[in-house]
Each structure stands twice: as structure tokens, then as C-alpha cells.
Amino acid sequence: MKIEELNIGNGGRYSSIVAFINKGGIFLSDKSKKTNDETNETLTNRQGHPVTNNQSLRTVGNRGPSTLENYDFLEKISHFDRERIPERVVHARGAGAHGYFVPTGKAGDEPISKYTRAKVFQEEGKKTPVFVRFSSVIHGGTSPETLRDPRGFAVKFYTEDGNWDLVGNNLKIFFIRDAMKFPDLIHAFKPDPVTNIQDGRRIFDFCSSSPETFHMVTFVFSPWGIPANYRMMQGSGVNTYKWVNEEGKAVLVKYHWEPKQGIKNLTQQEANEIQATNFNHATQDLYEAIERGDYPEWDLNVQIMSDDDHPELDFDPLDDTKIWPKDEFPWLHVGTMVLNKNPEDYFTEVEQAAFGTGVLVDGLDFSDDKMLQGRTFSYSDTQRHRVGANYLQLPINAPKKRTATNQTGGQMQYEVGRGSQSPHINYEPSTVGGLKEANQTGKEYTPMVEGKLVRETIDRQNNTKQAGETFREFEDWEKDDLISNLVAALAPADKRIQEKMIALAEEADEEYGRRLKEGLAAASEHTESSKPLGGTDNPEDAVRKGHEADPY
């Protein structure tokens, strides 16, 4: 059986009439059809039955007890019990919007076809629809949007060749360079498994023993760790990818989103003041801007590097804890993204939206970046757990083009998807029918890979040099906020952890190390207990400030 969406009425995906086409005939489900007593405002249950009383259970007398055959109630309450799917382990708090991407057809001043054959970039002015989900990383789905945390910046391009997901963050680097350490990193930043409270001592216990985190720590504990909102923050693919051209030749590439609205960040004090009155401010800001027609825009820029090890550099191009210097690898403008439509339903579009770093189209490819390799498995795996095996059949995740596959079954399958071929053949190859492989267009990219299988860190780690450069580029107010935030979070930590963090700061920059050491020395005399990042008042303050009340 095949489901086709007919262009009836308004047509397209949301047409009220869906045709179920089988070999034996055609059956129409007309979702606009009503019983004689129904109007467009009539409440029904999921079976299509009009609900005549939505206020009261069916009971023996008006005081009860209730009867078991309360179908309307049973359907209503059992669906309510299942309204939520598993929350994302990371990036649970999010907001999203629809829009479009328009390429320039060039990479800087050169034809983009020199570097990639991906169709999404080729034709100047051609619009490709997109959906974007912004998020914070560590805390739950309704946590404050003022917390110190990287922000997710995930873009789904619905291209003519299928979906492309560019899944990144607002910051251009990450804490670690090897996917093996990712669960440990997240566990350290998540709340304590006993107290359920985020604890700076746990965070720096991990970071002080993982020196590659220091560059990211420098960013996250500065005002760059709290963007003012989603519209006014940068985005980055973070990982190193590859572009492949028509001849099968590849280059390394980094992606950067630059907001046309400008960039704004918050100090810890400013974030606390906003959080005191509004913990949804970033979601509200994005929604209201689009509603009033103030559509946010980002330019997409790339950095390109030849596809080799680059021994002349003091860092590895595949190391996602490092920034590629802009003066050596300039940003090349390749297009602009505009967000111009809010979701019609948050759960259907934002919560069920599923992204994966492995979702690439022809002309885009993977590098050997070890974080990218790990993310490519993890991201799509978590969607199959969270949303289900058929998550790609949901409208928000489905490509806006023909699909035909022999994948079948799984919970909530509603589309068979084998195209117009024989419904009896759900395998390939076949002599008597079924789907066939596509032709390869463009020369296939076939990199040469050799070496011993090892478990080792990369060479050229250089864990603190760029952190020092970043610190020196900060303005004075950014440096002040960075030191203040680090001191507040580190002060309750074990002295050995403090000494490790001071040593990393001293190695990065003399001023950085000196100010952190002096700040911790001054704070150690009156440090009481660890607090969540950004926390100020102690729990006792609520007792002291609370107003007494008599029982009722």
C-alpha cells in the first residue's frame, strides 16, 4: 500500500483529503466530512465521535462512582499520559522557526563548483526551505534561557537532493576532541546524581584533568557563555567537514553563521536580572520578532583548507577545540538564511524535529574529525530512541522530495514508501521488480586511508595557546566577567583542582593566570559551598527572607 498526498483543495502535505491507493482500488479519507449535527467547531475524539460532554465523567449518580466504559475519558486521559516523548539528553530546551536559504553561487569570488557539487549552493538566488532549532545544552526542556551554557544551532536544509543537517553550536569550538569522552563531559556538567544540583566542583574536576577543555572554558565562562538571545548569536558547524567537486576532489571546510542583527552577550549579573522576571526570554524574543515581520538573517561563511594534515600549523585541522585563524583561512560568503515563519505547533515541529551530523547530500562529506565520527552515530541513534524508528516519516523531518526505500515496519509506520514498484518486492536486488540503485553522478570521492589501529590522542594538542589568544582579544569587561565567574565556580573546589586550573590559565596568558590565582586566594576565606553556575543566594537566604504564615 502507498499513501499519496493529493493536490485537492489547498493541496500538499496538509490537504484534508488523503488517498490510500492499493492494487484493489482507491479509498478516500475526507477529513472535512461531518455528521449532520457537526460544525467546524465541534469537538470530537480521535475516533471521530462527537463529544457531547467534556466536563463530567459518566458516573452512578452525580457523586460517583465512575464506570469503566467512559470511552471519551479513557481516550482523553490515556493520551494525556503519553503526551511527552523522551526528552533530549542534551539540547532539551529549544525554540525553532522555518525559513529559507539563498546561495550566492560562489565561495568568495570564485564559482562554488570549484569546491563542491552540492546543488544547494550552485544557483545564485535559488531558495531552499530550512527549519532551524536553537537550544541550550545541559538543562531540561523548561529550564531558564539565561543559564551559562553553549547554545545549539541546528539547521535542516530541505534540498532537491534530500535533507542536509548542519548541526552545530553558537561557539566555534568544543570542549573535547574525542567522542569517547563525550558522555563523561556531559555527566560532569549535568546535576549531581545524588543532590540533583549542578556543581562547579564536578565540572572543574573533569575540566582540570582534561586540558583540551580550557579554550572552551574560556569562552563559556565569559559573556560569550550567555548569548542575549537566539537572533543575536553566531552559529558554527564546529566540526571539520569536506566538500567534494564534480571531479571527486575534496577540500576541508568549516561553516560559520554570522547574524545580520549583530552579536550581543550578557554578563552574569545581567542574566540574573533577566531570569528574575522571564526565563523564556530568548524563545519569546524569536517568536515575537518573526510575528512582527522582523525576520532574523544570518550570512553563511565557510573556511576552506586543502585536504591534508597541514604539518605547518601548530594545531590539527581536525581538532574541534581549535579555531582556524581567519587571517590564514579567510571567511568566504556562500549564502544567506532568513527565518520568516513560526511553528504552528511546538511539539509537532520543534520537539519532534530530529537532526543528525551524518545527514549529508552529494557534494558534502565527512572528515576524519573524531568528534564528528562519534556524533554521526549518536545523533541519529538518539532520534530513533526518542521519536521512534519512523521519525523520518514525520512532516518536519521528511525530505520535500520523493523517497523510496525497502525499510519497513517499526512503531507508528504510516507510509510504506516503496514508490510505484511492486508492493511484493521489499528487497534489492530483484529480477522481477522492486527498487533499483541510483546512478552515480560526479566522480566518487575515494580517499586513501592507511595506518595502525591505535587508541591515542592526536599530535599537536597545544591546549592553551588559543585560549590565551582569546583572552587577550577580550575587552576589559569581558575579562572581568570571565575571572569573576571562574572564581565563583572554582572557589569551593578541591585545592588540587584549583591549582590545575590556575596552571592552565598561567600557561595560556600571564594576566589570565595571575588574576585567577589572586581571585581564588581572596575568595577562599569565605567560601561556604558549591552552587550551580551563576548561583548567588544560599538556600538559607530563602529561610531568612521568607514571610511566616499560619496554617489553614
Side-chain angles (χ1 to χ4, degrees):
M1 182 181 288
K2 176 192 170 188
I3 295 179
E4 284 189 354
E5 292 150 345
L6 301 185
N7 289 322
I8 301 175
N10 290 331
R13 187 175 299 280
Y14 300 104
S15 173
S16 64
I17 298 180
V18 179
F20 293 76
I21 301 174
N22 204 346
K23 196 171 183 180
I26 181 167
F27 307 93
L28 291 181
S29 169
D30 186 349
K31 294 186 178 181
S32 65
K33 189 173 182 179
K34 310 178 188 72
T35 64
N36 291 338
D37 296 328
E38 282 187 63
T39 70
N40 286 333
E41 297 177 348
T42 300
L43 178 67
T44 74
N45 63 25
R46 287 289 187 179
Q47 303 286 7
H49 309 155
V51 176
T52 57
N53 188 325
N54 195 42
Q55 315 306 316
S56 304
L57 290 168
R58 195 176 192 191
T59 58
V60 180
N62 61 15
R63 295 184 67 239
S66 65
T67 59
L68 184 61
E69 36 61 320
N70 267 278
Y71 182 81
D72 286 349
F73 167 72
L74 294 176
E75 183 193 89
K76 182 179 181 180
I77 198 67
S78 60
H79 187 278
F80 173 78
D81 294 341
R82 295 163 175 81
E83 279 186 357
R84 296 293 177 264
I85 57 178
E87 187 174 88
R88 289 169 167 88
V89 177
V90 287
H91 297 278
R93 170 55 127 148
H98 298 269
Y100 58 88
F101 173 75
V102 181
T104 63
K106 297 181 178 181
D109 296 325
E110 297 181 294
I112 204 161
S113 57
K114 175 180 178 181
Y115 301 108
T116 178
R117 60 180 184 243
K119 294 176 186 174
V120 66
F121 290 120
Q122 302 302 322
E123 186 178 335
E124 180 182 1
K126 180 178 180 178
K127 290 185 179 180
T128 296
V130 300
F131 181 77
V132 179
R133 186 176 185 273
F134 303 107
S135 58
S136 56
V137 176
I138 293 299
H139 297 281
T142 55
S143 56
E145 293 179 302
T146 44
L147 296 179
R148 183 169 305 285
D149 206 1
R151 300 302 193 267
F153 196 125
V155 184
K156 187 179 294 293
F157 297 78
Y158 302 96
T159 85
E160 62 187 285
D161 279 339
N163 289 352
W164 167 36
D165 291 350
L166 180 55
V167 192
N169 288 332
N170 64 315
L171 299 172
K172 301 182 185 304
I173 57 172
F174 198 57
F175 291 96
I176 53 176
R177 59 172 71 95
D178 193 308
M180 180 64 84
K181 300 182 74 168
F182 186 74
D184 299 292
L185 167 73
I186 298 303
H187 287 171
F189 276 72
K190 285 279 190 180
D192 183 302
V194 177
T195 67
N196 199 36
I197 299 170
Q198 189 184 46
D199 190 335
R201 293 173 298 187
R202 289 163 36 84
I203 292 171
F204 286 107
D205 186 25
F206 176 84
C207 290
S208 64
S209 297
S210 305
E212 71 271 27
T213 65
F214 194 68
H215 193 191
M216 186 69 166
V217 165
T218 300
F219 269 112
V220 170
F221 280 80
S222 79
W224 290 85
I226 311 180
N229 55 48
Y230 298 130
R231 293 185 304 118
M232 306 179 84
M233 71 180 193
Q234 295 171 300
S236 171
V238 179
N239 295 112
T240 302
Y241 290 85
K242 288 184 181 181
W243 275 0
V244 181
N245 66 13
E246 198 69 32
E247 288 75 45
K249 296 179 180 178
V251 292
L252 302 177
V253 64
K254 287 265 197 181
Y255 298 100
H256 305 281
W257 294 106
E258 191 71 8
K260 289 192 171 185
Q261 301 73 237
I263 303 168
K264 286 194 174 183
N265 300 315
L266 299 171
T267 65
Q268 186 64 63
Q269 181 178 346
E270 292 163 346
N272 291 343
E273 291 168 356
I274 293 169
Q275 185 175 318
T277 59
N278 187 349
F279 63 87
N280 304 291
H281 80 284
T283 294
Q284 181 179 349
D285 172 83
L286 178 67
Y287 183 89
E288 292 182 352
I290 293 174
E291 284 297 293
R292 66 175 179 263
D294 184 10
Y295 302 141
E297 300 184 24
W298 285 261
D299 283 333
L300 180 59
N301 302 285
V302 298
Q303 290 175 289
I304 292 175
M305 193 183 294
S306 60
D307 183 17
D308 56 75
D309 296 343
H310 288 272
E312 76 281 2
L313 300 174
D314 62 5
F315 65 92
D316 193 310
L318 305 183
D319 183 352
D320 64 1
T321 71
K322 301 295 189 295
I323 293 173
W324 290 8
K326 202 171 177 180
D327 57 345
E328 296 181 56
F329 307 98
W331 284 12
L332 306 176
H333 183 221
V334 297
T336 299
M337 178 175 69
V338 179
L339 299 183
N340 63 352
K341 183 180 182 296
N342 280 313
E344 295 179 15
D345 182 80
Y346 179 87
F347 180 86
T348 304
E349 298 164 68
V350 183
E351 184 63 17
Q352 292 192 129
F355 300 85
T357 56
V359 184
L360 305 176
V361 294
D362 183 54
L364 312 179
D365 214 321
F366 306 98
S367 77
D368 297 330
D369 179 338
K370 289 195 277 187
M371 273 300 295
L372 176 60
Q373 304 271 322
R375 291 178 77 201
T376 294
F377 170 78
S378 179
Y379 272 61
S380 294
D381 181 57
T382 199
Q383 307 306 345
R384 294 183 179 98
H385 154 70
R386 195 178 66 86
V387 187
N390 290 302
Y391 75 97
L392 291 172
Q393 292 187 12
L394 295 175
I396 193 64
N397 297 321
K400 299 183 185 297
K401 68 172 291 292
R402 170 189 174 274
T403 60
T405 176
N406 289 324
Q407 296 170 15
T408 188
Q411 191 173 33
M412 301 301 288
Q413 174 179 298
Y414 67 90
E415 183 179 55
V416 177
R418 282 195 282 278
S420 59
Q421 303 306 306
S422 169
H424 301 283
I425 310 299
N426 63 346
Y427 50 86
E428 190 281 327
S430 168
T431 302
V432 297
L435 299 168
K436 301 183 184 303
E437 294 172 325
N439 295 323
Q440 173 72 41
T441 59
K443 188 175 181 181
E444 190 170 2
Y445 172 56
T446 57
M448 176 67 180
V449 180
E450 65 176 344
K452 294 181 179 180
L453 290 175
V454 296
R455 293 186 179 94
E456 297 176 356
T457 57
I458 64 171
D459 300 325
R460 292 179 286 170
Q461 295 181 36
N462 219 344
N463 292 317
T464 58
K465 179 185 176 183
Q466 287 198 3
E469 293 169 349
T470 295
F471 178 81
R472 289 187 289 276
E473 289 174 2
F474 281 165
E475 297 180 15
D476 288 343
W477 68 276
E478 293 174 309
K479 291 181 179 179
D480 293 345
D481 198 55
L482 167 64
I483 298 300
S484 173
N485 296 327
L486 284 175
V487 168
L490 267 170
D494 186 293
K495 292 294 182 186
R496 293 168 296 178
I497 294 172
Q498 293 182 5
E499 289 168 2
K500 285 183 177 181
M501 292 303 297
I502 291 169
L504 289 171
E506 288 175 336
E507 188 177 298
D509 181 87
E510 183 278 329
E511 179 192 354
Y512 195 171
R514 173 175 49 78
R515 292 184 62 178
L516 181 59
K517 186 175 184 178
E518 291 172 353
L520 286 171
S524 62
E525 297 177 3
H526 49 80
T527 298
E528 297 177 9
S529 63
S530 184
K531 309 180 185 71
L533 299 186
T536 52
D537 291 351
N538 290 314
E540 294 80 8
D541 291 334
V543 177
R544 180 174 54 81
K545 295 176 180 179
H547 299 273
E548 292 187 2
D550 294 327
Y552 67 92

